[in-house]
Amino acid sequence: MEQKKSYRTAFIFVTILFFLWGFITVLVDSLIPRLREVFTLSYFQAGMVQFAFFGAYFLLSIPAGYILSKIGYKRGIILGLSTMALGCLLFYPAASYRVFGIFMLGYFTLAAGITILQVAANPYVTILGPERTASSRLNLSQAFNSLGTAIAPALGALFILQDKVKTTAEIEALDAAAQKSYLVAEAAAVQTPFLGIAAFIGVIALVFFFVKLPKVGDKEASNDYRKVLKNRNLILGSIALFCYVGAEVSLGSYMVNYFLSLDLAATVRETSFMRTIAEWILSTGVSSSSDMAVVGVFVTFYWTGAMIGRFIGSYLTSIFNPAKILSIFALGAIGMILISNFSVGLAAMWTIIGVGLFNSIMFPTIFSLALDGLGDDKAQGSGVLCTMIVGGAIIPPAYGYLTDSFNFNIALILVMACYAYIFYYAFSNKRRKVVVA
C-alpha cells in the first residue's frame, strides 16, 4: 500500500512536468511575431528562434540519455528543471539590452532543460506501477502536456502580444526620454512572464529535491546505436517524425503572421461571434488590443484540436490498424491546408486551425510504428527518434525563407510535402497492430 501511494505521488509530480514543457514550448511561438518587430527580423530570421530551440533535441537527446543512466531519474529531472529556469532567466538581459543573440542562447538553454525532462519523464512514467497500465499512465500524462499547449497561446496573446510594438523607425523618431521609457516597458513585457515562469520552475525543482521518488529503473543502460541504425523501418519512421515536428511547429509559429497577412484582425472585429471569443479570452475589448493579440488568441484552438484529437485517436488506434489511421489523418491535414490555401477570411483561418486536430495522433503513432519489432533495442530506437525532433529547427526557417521569397501560399506547399511523406510512411507500413503510447 505504501509503495502504491509513493508511485501515485511521483506520478502526480512527474505529470506536472508534462504540462510544464508543453506550455513553455508553445509559449515560445507567441514571442516570434513580437521578436520580428522588436528586432526587425525577416521571417527566416524569426524561424531561427525555432532552430535554437529544437536544435537542442538533436544535439542533446542521446547525451541526456547517457547522463540519466549515470545520475538517475530524480537528479535528471532536477537538472532539467534547473537548466530550464536558467534559460528563462537569460531572457531578462536579452530584453534589457535588446540583443537577439542572448535570446537565442536563452531559447537553446531552455530547450536543453526540456530535452532532459523529455528523456527522463517519458520512461519514468511507464515504470511507475504495473506494466499492464503503463500505456494508460503515459496517455494521461501526455493529455496534460496537450493541455499546456492548448492554453499557452491564449496566455501568450494576453501577456506577450497585447500591446503594439514600435518599429525601429518609430523608436528613433521618439525623443531620448520617450525612447528610454518605451524600451523599459518593452523589455518588461517579455521579462515579467518569463521571470514568473523561472520562479515557478525553481519551486518545482525544490519540490523534486525534497520529495522521495521511488528508485525504479535507475541502472546503467547500453548506448550502442549501431544496430538500430540498420533498421529500415526505424529510419523511415525517424524521417516521418522529423517531418511531423517540422510541419506542426511551422504552422504554430507563423500562424499569427499568416492570420495577419489575411487581414483577419479586421474580420474578427467585424464578426460578432469571433469578436466575442477574442474578448472573452483577452478579457478586454478588441478595439484597444493589438492586431497580433486579436488573432493570436485563436491559435489556442490549433493546440486544443490536438488535445481533443489525441483522445479520439487513442480510441481509434485501439480498434483499427494505427498505420491506416495515421494515413487518414495525414490526408486530413493535407486537405485542410489545401482548403486554407485557396480560401480567404474565416474559412482560411478555421481550416488551418483544423490541422491541429489531425496532428494529434501523429507523434505517438509514428513513434510506436517506428519502434515496432526492435525488441530489447527500443531504448536506443527511442534515442534516435528523439533526435529527430530537430525537424522543428530545420523546417520552420525554410518555411520562413519561402514566405520571404514568395508568400505563405508557396510556403504551405513545404508543409503539405511533410504530411505527404507521413502518408507514404503510414501507407507503406503493413506491420501488425501495435499499442500506441
Side-chain angles (χ1 to χ4, degrees), residues 123-193:
Y124 191 61
V125 166
T126 64
I127 56 180
L128 284 176
E131 185 177 353
R132 67 179 183 278
T133 57
S135 294
S136 175
R137 291 191 300 277
L138 191 54
N139 269 312
L140 181 56
S141 293
Q142 289 177 341
F144 279 91
N145 177 268
S146 297
L147 177 61
T149 64
I151 68 175
L155 293 180
L158 182 61
F159 293 107
I160 297 176
L161 302 180
Q162 182 64 264
D163 61 312
K164 176 70 172 65
V165 180
K166 296 182 183 296
T167 64
T168 301
E170 291 173 331
I171 295 173
E172 291 175 350
L174 300 174
D175 58 48
Q179 280 190 23
K180 182 177 180 180
S181 176
Y182 172 76
L183 292 176
V184 170
E186 182 63 27
V190 173
Q191 292 169 332
T192 302

Side-chain angles (χ1 to χ4, degrees), residues 7 22 93 97 121 157 228 253 258 303 366 370 396 411 427:
Y7 281 174
Y97 299 105
V228 296
S253 299
Y258 179 58
W303 300 104
I366 293 171
F427 187 77

Side-chain angles (χ1 to χ4, degrees), residues 294-317:
V294 170
V295 298
V297 296
F298 291 95
V299 180
T300 192
F301 294 104
Y302 174 70
W303 300 104
T304 300
M307 179 178 65
I308 295 172
R310 178 176 291 277
F311 290 105
I312 298 173
S314 295
Y315 171 73
L316 291 176
T317 52

Side-chain angles (χ1 to χ4, degrees), residues 13-15 17-18 21 68 73 76-77 114-128 138 141:
F13 282 117
V14 174
T15 298
L17 301 180
F18 280 79
W21 81 61
L68 288 169
Y73 289 110
I77 288 171
I114 294 177
T115 300
I116 296 172
L117 287 187
Q118 286 260 31
V119 176
N122 280 292
Y124 191 61
V125 166
T126 64
I127 56 180
L128 284 176
L138 191 54
S141 293

Side-chain angles (χ1 to χ4, degrees), residues 19-34 50 144-162 193-194 197 248-249 251-257 259 277-278 280-283 290-307 349 353 356:
F19 172 86
L20 185 65
W21 81 61
F23 175 82
I24 293 178
T25 299
V26 176
L27 192 65
V28 167
D29 296 339
S30 299
L31 274 178
I32 287 183
R34 189 177 194 98
Q50 297 292 15
F144 279 91
N145 177 268
S146 297
L147 177 61
T149 64
I151 68 175
L155 293 180
L158 182 61
F159 293 107
I160 297 176
L161 302 180
Q162 182 64 264
F194 282 92
I197 293 172
E248 181 189 50
V249 172
L251 292 180
S253 299
Y254 291 103
M255 194 168 288
V256 171
N257 297 110
F259 291 164
I277 295 175
W280 178 72
I281 297 176
L282 290 172
S283 300
S290 70
D291 287 352
M292 286 192 298
V294 170
V295 298
V297 296
F298 291 95
V299 180
T300 192
F301 294 104
Y302 174 70
W303 300 104
T304 300
M307 179 178 65
M349 176 182 184
I353 287 174

Side-chain angles (χ1 to χ4, degrees), residues 166-224:
K166 296 182 183 296
T167 64
T168 301
E170 291 173 331
I171 295 173
E172 291 175 350
L174 300 174
D175 58 48
Q179 280 190 23
K180 182 177 180 180
S181 176
Y182 172 76
L183 292 176
V184 170
E186 182 63 27
V190 173
Q191 292 169 332
T192 302
F194 282 92
L195 281 178
I197 293 172
F200 178 73
I201 294 173
V203 171
I204 297 297
L206 283 175
V207 170
F208 272 93
F209 182 80
F210 289 106
V211 73
K212 290 185 178 180
L213 295 182
K215 294 183 179 180
V216 287
D218 283 352
K219 57 184 180 181
E220 189 169 342
S222 169
N223 287 284
D224 186 0

